[in-house]
Amino acid sequence: MREYVVAILGATGAVGHRLLNELEHSQIPVKKIKLLASQRSAGQKLKFHQQEITVEEAQPDSFTGVDLVLSSAGGTVSQQLLPEAVKRGAVCVDNTSAFRMQEGVPLVIPGVNDQELSQHRGIIANPNCSTIQMVAALYPIYQRWGIDQIIVSTYQAVSGAGQAAWDELLSETQARLNEQPAKAQILPTASDSKHYPLAFNLLPQIDVFEDDGYTHEEWKMIHETKKILFNDQNSDRIKVTATCVRVPVEVGHGETVYFVLKDKSATASAIQGEVAKTPGLVLQDDPQKQLYPQPLLAAGKKATFVGRVRADQENPGAFHMWVVADNLLRGAASNTVEIAECLVRDDLVRVIK
Amino acid sequence: MREYVVAILGATGAVGHRLLNELEHSQIPVKKIKLLASQRSAGQKLKFHQQEITVEEAQPDSFTGVDLVLSSAGGTVSQQLLPEAVKRGAVCVDNTSAFRMQEGVPLVIPGVNDQELSQHRGIIANPNCSTIQMVAALYPIYQRWGIDQIIVSTYQAVSGAGQAAWDELLSETQARLNEQPAKAQILPTASDSKHYPLAFNLLPQIDVFEDDGYTHEEWKMIHETKKILFNDQNSDRIKVTATCVRVPVEVGHGETVYFVLKDKSATASAIQGEVAKTPGLVLQDDPQKQLYPQPLLAAGKKATFVGRVRADQENPGAFHMWVVADNLLRGAASNTVEIAECLVRDDLVRVIK
């Protein structure tokens, strides 16, 4: 059995920690592991299967001899280093937006479109967290009835903006409880000029604004969804639109997903049935028992949770559902490691010409 | 000039305090004020124009000699006491859901349908908080272009569930920051059997579930919107559907409102123009300056704030907007006092046969 030298790029971040843990519990035979991060984090020690590993500074030559790179170190780092890794013969699964929309880069949710992995040229992209859970939940519905239109509103947890933003929410929250003023320096988006508190607040801005008034996060949900479903003959006609809102939640994105099916014969209970039998999806949908997905229940789990499935009573073929998933696991680390498992399963951890 | 004996029923609650303050700053000539509440709260003292007023226990005979009742004491209390007040000659503006859908009871947002006040039979209903801000924001758009369909997702503050729920959120939040377990006893809905923490969580249940899988809050948004717009010839064709979610915010509901116009010639900038010139609405919509409505900015204000107006680029005539308002003021106390001001202005504080 082939064993792999695996590098985790961005090993010290919130997603990096989870990548390490998911890898430890994965089907991937690991011969050796390298933990890579910025100069600032180099020297830290992390454990993999009881063994202490020292984090090294990521540089082009760090990838010599590496078979597989799991990357979550930010878009700029990915853009600089992953082509260097590929040059040295590694296959990279990237968790940033750097390569997602690039032609020839498969954008993959295992269980939805992992057949596209066979076309990779060294880099495979992990979709945006909010895209993954929505498309994962919609896919069995899409396969059976077809989808004309998706309208999504997100309720996104702060951990999606990184550890520093997460810490900022907690310190702002404590300040408010002490009746002291909150000082925002990171949210909504570190790279933008104004910063607002998120504690007990809602910020309808995730990532920067595009010229058309949509945020880049909204743009990602729209365009990544189309790219992921593109290989299907009906998919070119899917309309997707989104509003993304940051909410004072630590882990676990919520989404209200409104979708209009092509085939108007679908019912809410048939949709629930498709969701319930799909691996990776968990149906939590019993109003009489007050059963529905919640971020606190989804945090720490790899599944995508679906509930509140019901018909729009005035628009035939249109339905609502409420989708919740751990954005650091389902939306990031778990999806990345599952892609790597597919690569190993199909013997695709090699340079493909 | 006629002066009025005004009673506030439910004076000691979060909305009751705001009713008192709004009344103090209103156009209504108050001859005398009576503060009414449950036996438990009787004896408390509150100030009106520097004068200390003792809260009395609300009973049928409390309303003898009262001209105008502003009520926010819960549906059961309204159902029991408001007919008694009407019997004694008072006109009641009720903030609960007790009478909203009753035929012959005007359901009023001033500036939208206050012309219906002339038909009152003693009780006027204040719409649900989440309905008021949505319909207020949509109304100028509806008047100019007509609306075919509304799809709304709410992000509702805990104060809408009452002071005890508000306190519960704060104590749960402190518990989480202290790494102690949170104990939920009220939310999502005191009257339901299960309770879940809201701190750093999302609860897709507001009020109890109906048989069709919608919550009663969602039902209210759908049916109240139709009732409010019913007097217009086109309104019977408006489709409305909703998902209501409680979020860990103290004051200020957010709403993503997606609407499809009849007249496809509308543009985002023309919609922004209509909003900007409508009294009671404030346009906060400049992505380049990161200007958009936020609960922390809306709390304590009477206006409805509108931003993130933009076209769905794949569905002609369809637009998004993000609407935020103080649920205790715009969604409750201010709307109630504005209805009372309209009644005074039009000399409608009298029994109308």
Side-chain angles (χ1 to χ4, degrees), chain A residues 60-108:
Chain A
D61 282 335
S62 309
F63 300 100
T64 305
V66 170
D67 300 306
L68 186 62
V69 180
L70 308 181
S71 162
S72 189
T76 315
V77 176
S78 285
Q79 235 149 7
Q80 286 169 355
L81 288 180
L82 296 193
E84 298 292 337
V86 173
K87 244 190 254 170
R88 286 163 179 82
V91 173
C92 306
V93 187
D94 184 34
N95 218 344
T96 77
S97 64
F99 300 97
R100 284 180 194 148
M101 297 308 294
Q102 209 169 91
E103 226 190 291
V105 173
L107 182 67
V108 172

Side-chain angles (χ1 to χ4, degrees), chain B residues 31-95:
Chain B
K31 182 158 58 183
K32 194 190 155 193
I33 186 149
K34 280 187 117 168
L35 303 181
L36 305 173
S38 66
Q39 198 182 8
R40 208 181 52 236
S41 302
Q44 286 186 34
K45 289 174 201 303
L46 296 171
K47 280 202 174 164
F48 184 72
H49 286 306
Q50 331 295 341
Q51 196 193 333
E52 207 163 63
I53 317 270
T54 304
V55 176
E56 300 167 45
E57 185 186 349
Q59 287 178 322
D61 282 335
S62 308
F63 300 100
T64 305
V66 170
D67 300 306
L68 186 61
V69 180
L70 309 180
S71 162
S72 190
T76 316
V77 176
S78 284
Q79 235 150 6
Q80 285 170 355
L81 288 180
L82 296 194
E84 298 291 337
V86 172
K87 241 190 255 172
R88 287 165 178 80
V91 173
C92 306
V93 187
D94 183 34
N95 219 343

Side-chain angles (χ1 to χ4, degrees), chain B residues 6 18 33 41-42 55 71 74 79 91 111 162 180 230 261 331 344 346:
Chain B
V6 181
R18 284 162 177 82
I33 186 149
S41 302
V55 176
S71 162
Q79 235 150 6
V91 173
Q180 286 163 354
F230 188 70
L261 300 178
V344 165
D346 299 340

Side-chain angles (χ1 to χ4, degrees), chain B residues 154-224:
Chain B
T154 71
Y155 301 63
Q156 293 183 233
V158 71
S159 54
Q163 187 65 53
W166 189 348
D167 294 342
E168 178 168 278
L169 171 64
L170 296 179
S171 64
E172 280 172 6
T173 305
Q174 188 61 69
R176 156 65 191 101
L177 293 177
N178 298 344
E179 298 184 14
Q180 286 163 354
K183 251 187 240 160
Q185 297 178 302
I186 297 168
L187 290 162
T189 295
S191 66
D192 218 334
S193 47
K194 288 188 186 165
H195 302 291
Y196 305 113
L198 179 62
F200 302 105
N201 200 17
L202 301 166
L203 297 175
Q205 179 192 356
I206 301 183
D207 212 331
V208 295
F209 280 98
E210 305 283 327
D211 289 337
D212 59 8
Y214 283 76
T215 60
H216 193 55
E217 184 81 359
E218 289 156 359
W219 190 96
K220 286 181 225 168
M221 290 198 77
I222 295 166
H223 294 278
E224 292 180 15

Side-chain angles (χ1 to χ4, degrees), chain B residues 58-344:
Chain B
Q59 287 178 322
D61 282 335
S62 308
F63 300 100
T64 305
V66 170
D67 300 306
L68 186 61
V69 180
L70 309 180
S71 162
S72 190
T76 316
V77 176
S78 284
Q79 235 150 6
Q80 285 170 355
L81 288 180
L82 296 194
E84 298 291 337
V86 172
K87 241 190 255 172
R88 287 165 178 80
V91 173
C92 306
V93 187
D94 183 34
N95 219 343
T96 77
S97 65
F99 300 98
R100 284 180 194 149
M101 296 308 295
Q102 211 169 90
E103 224 191 292
V105 173
L107 182 66
V108 172
I109 303 173
V112 172
N113 65 336
D114 43 277
Q115 72 284 358
E116 291 182 43
L117 289 172
S118 63
Q119 307 299 315
H120 86 75
R121 301 175 199 170
I123 296 176
I124 296 107
N126 199 65
N128 187 43
C129 44
S130 48
T131 309
I132 290 174
Q133 67 182 66
M134 178 178 82
V135 175
L138 284 174
Y139 193 64
I141 300 164
Y142 167 76
Q143 281 188 296
R144 177 150 167 202
W145 294 286
I147 294 179
D148 267 334
Q149 190 182 12
I150 301 166
I151 301 164
V152 59
S153 295
T154 71
Y155 301 63
Q156 293 183 233
V158 71
S159 54
Q163 187 65 53
W166 189 348
D167 294 342
E168 178 168 278
L169 171 64
L170 296 179
S171 64
E172 280 172 6
T173 305
Q174 188 61 69
R176 156 65 191 101
L177 293 177
N178 298 344
E179 298 184 14
Q180 286 163 354
K183 251 187 240 160
Q185 297 178 302
I186 297 168
L187 290 162
T189 295
S191 66
D192 218 334
S193 47
K194 288 188 186 165
H195 302 291
Y196 305 113
L198 179 62
F200 302 105
N201 200 17
L202 301 166
L203 297 175
Q205 179 192 356
I206 301 183
D207 212 331
V208 295
F209 280 98
E210 305 283 327
D211 289 337
D212 59 8
Y214 283 76
T215 60
H216 193 55
E217 184 81 359
E218 289 156 359
W219 190 96
K220 286 181 225 168
M221 290 198 77
I222 295 166
H223 294 278
E224 292 180 15
T225 300
K226 289 168 184 273
K227 176 167 174 171
I228 294 165
L229 298 178
F230 188 70
N231 280 353
D232 187 285
Q233 55 192 10
N234 292 320
S235 64
D236 56 331
R237 292 181 49 213
I238 287 190
K239 297 176 193 168
V240 187
T241 193
T243 302
C244 293
V245 180
R246 188 76 71 190
V247 298
V249 167
E250 293 182 87
V251 174
H253 290 350
E255 296 178 345
T256 58
V257 183
Y258 181 88
F259 52 99
V260 184
L261 300 178
K262 284 188 193 303
D263 177 348
K264 307 301 183 196
S265 72
T267 62
S269 64
I271 290 169
Q272 289 163 328
E274 287 296 328
V275 167
K277 74 183 192 197
T278 302
L281 301 185
V282 174
L283 183 73
Q284 291 183 323
D285 197 3
D286 189 342
Q288 294 321 310
K289 294 183 176 158
Q290 294 177 262
L291 178 68
Y292 35 70
Q294 301 173 31
L296 285 185
L297 303 178
K301 308 224 166 68
K302 292 203 277 189
T304 299
F305 298 88
V306 179
R308 306 277 347 257
V309 176
R310 62 207 191 282
D312 178 345
Q313 299 178 334
E314 299 178 290
N315 194 13
F319 295 84
H320 296 274
M321 65 182 179
W322 167 248
V323 181
V324 176
D326 182 320
N327 52 297
L328 300 174
L329 283 176
R330 176 72 272 142
S334 305
N335 201 72
T336 299
V337 171
E338 284 173 21
I339 290 172
E341 287 179 325
C342 292
L343 290 168
V344 165

